[in-house]
Amino acid sequence: MKRAIAGLAMMFSAFACPALAEDTLSFESFTLTPNVGTLGPGIEGGWRLNENWGARAGINGFATKFTYHDKDSDLVNKLMLLNAGVTADYYPFQGNFRLSGGVRASANKITGKVLNLRKHSRHVSVIIADPLTNYTLRQNTIQPYIGTGYQLEIKERVSLNLDFGMLYAGAPDLSVHSRAERYGFTPRQINREIDKARNRLAPFQVYPVVQLGFNIKF
């Protein structure tokens, strides 16, 4: 009887040890996450190190055109989002909720030109169709990130991934090249308008991050 119990115990140990090892290593799985959001569409690779910690790295990019109709002109813009970063994740409850911190390298920028400039006088209004002013708006190259996130399991190897956070992008850098003096605008008037634009942009130093993706576990 003792030999039988000992044999059963050895058999149980033989099966239990690999199972426990598998449970321990289940966190050490690589995930690939296609995502989309305020950073643009992208892809991210992640690694759950243990119950409390994980790490991710990814890249996002997007380009589009848009026109802003100002009071006396049309601002024709090209937007380019291109950024990459690394993120450390802390899981305080050892589950799917996480707190995140990291850093991104950004090449985000807006380039544009002023079209259909309308100059008014007492008796006549003149529309200057040709672009007299070109500008470029950039964010800081290095941007710290803080946020939170959650992943909701859909299938055994697929889960919905949500990220909410913010990047500190700093005061936007605005560079302007204007030829408006050809039409009677003085350098003082031109610089005053540029200063107004910089003052309007100055408060926008935080960039919101909302990302939705699907984790695919390997």
Side-chain angles (χ1 to χ4, degrees):
M1 185 68 179
K2 291 182 179 179
R3 290 181 179 180
I5 294 174
L8 289 173
M10 291 178 65
M11 290 177 61
F12 176 78
S13 298
F15 285 104
C17 289
L20 290 173
E22 184 177 351
D23 288 342
T24 302
L25 294 174
S26 65
F27 288 101
E28 300 178 2
S29 57
F30 176 75
T31 58
L32 197 62
T33 309
N35 56 38
V36 66
T38 56
L39 297 175
I43 193 162
E44 189 174 60
W47 189 266
R48 183 75 179 261
L49 302 173
N50 52 45
E51 293 93 337
N52 290 109
W53 292 99
R56 292 177 287 155
I59 186 169
N60 297 79
F62 179 69
T64 189
K65 297 180 181 180
F66 65 96
T67 300
Y68 176 74
H69 300 286
D70 203 357
K71 179 182 177 182
D72 293 319
S73 60
D74 297 328
L75 309 181
V76 180
N77 302 281
K78 294 180 181 179
L79 168 67
M80 185 187 75
L81 298 178
L82 181 61
N83 51 87
V86 293
T87 306
D89 296 317
Y90 174 62
Y91 298 83
F93 309 114
Q94 301 181 357
N96 293 324
F97 172 77
R98 62 179 178 267
L99 302 173
S100 304
V103 65
R104 295 191 79 87
S106 170
N108 297 347
K109 67 176 182 179
I110 296 175
T111 57
K113 54 189 175 183
V114 180
L115 290 175
N116 302 323
L117 181 64
R118 292 172 282 275
K119 185 179 181 183
H120 305 284
S121 64
R122 181 177 300 178
H123 303 291
V124 66
S125 295
V126 178
I127 297 178
I128 305 169
D130 294 337
L132 298 177
T133 301
N134 299 81
Y135 55 88
T136 302
L137 181 67
R138 298 179 185 272
Q139 297 180 331
N140 284 355
T141 303
I142 303 299
Q143 302 177 3
Y145 170 77
I146 57 171
T148 184
Y150 189 82
Q151 59 186 46
L152 178 65
E153 186 172 343
I154 300 175
K155 294 182 179 181
E156 182 180 356
R157 293 187 175 273
V158 179
S159 58
L160 181 68
N161 188 72
L162 298 171
D163 274 299
F164 301 94
M166 62 184 67
L167 288 163
Y168 178 71
D173 177 49
L174 176 65
S175 59
V176 180
H177 177 60
S178 179
R179 299 171 296 279
E181 68 277 0
R182 297 179 184 179
Y183 288 86
F185 293 92
T186 66
R188 184 176 180 180
Q189 289 174 318
I190 296 170
N191 291 331
R192 185 172 62 225
E193 293 302 316
I194 294 173
D195 289 340
K196 286 181 182 178
R198 287 199 174 104
N199 290 335
R200 288 196 295 266
L201 292 168
F204 298 98
Q205 300 187 22
V206 174
Y207 188 82
V209 175
V210 180
Q211 292 289 107
L212 173 66
F214 287 95
N215 286 343
I216 303 171
K217 186 183 293 185
F218 293 91

